[in-house]
Amino acid sequence: MSGSANGEQAKTDRHPLRVAFEGRDFDGVAEALAPDVVLNSPITALFQFQGRDRVTELLGLVREVFEDLHYEAEFGDAESRAIVFRARVEGHELEGTDILRLDEEGRVREITVFVRPLPGLTALMAALAPRLAAERGRTDAHR
C-alpha cells in the first residue's frame, strides 16, 4: 500500500469529534455528540458535564486554552474509541487520552478524560476555572 493510501485510511479512521475539535468547528463538535452526552472530569469522579450544549461549551473553552494540540493515536471500534493527544496550556505540556463511548449512530454518548502530568492538569484547571465561572454567570443571568 502506498504512503498516500495509508494517509487516506488514517483520515477516515478519525472520529468526527476529533476532526471537529481539532478544526475548531463547534457545530461539528455538537453534531458528533449524542443529545444526552456526559463528560467525566479528569479532576474528580464526582463531577460531570451533561448534555450536548454544556459539553460543546466546555470543549470550546478547552480548545481556547490548548496550545500546539496534536494527536498521537486513535483506535477503537464501533462502540468505543481512544484518542491520545498532546498539548500545552500556559507553557505546561500535557498528554491526555479521551475515551469515547459511542451510541448506535456513532455519536459520542460518554467522554472520560485522562490528563497527565500533574503540572499540566493543574495549568488546565487554572486556565479553565475563570472561563467556566464566566460561562456559568452568563447562563445563570439568562434564567
Side-chain angles (χ1 to χ4, degrees), residues 80-107:
S80 61
R81 308 285 300 166
I83 302 174
V84 181
F85 63 91
R86 288 185 181 269
R88 285 184 307 108
V89 175
E90 298 181 357
H92 295 275
E93 292 191 20
L94 60 84
E95 60 184 332
T97 302
D98 294 333
I99 306 298
L100 311 180
R101 289 176 183 79
L102 310 176
D103 67 13
E104 307 77 35
E105 296 176 21
R107 294 177 303 183

Side-chain angles (χ1 to χ4, degrees), residues 58-75:
L58 172 65
L59 292 176
L61 297 174
V62 169
R63 191 64 180 99
E64 284 179 14
V65 302
F66 273 4
E67 306 159 8
D68 301 327
L69 171 67
H70 63 277
Y71 291 97
E72 299 202 330
E74 179 175 343
F75 49 91

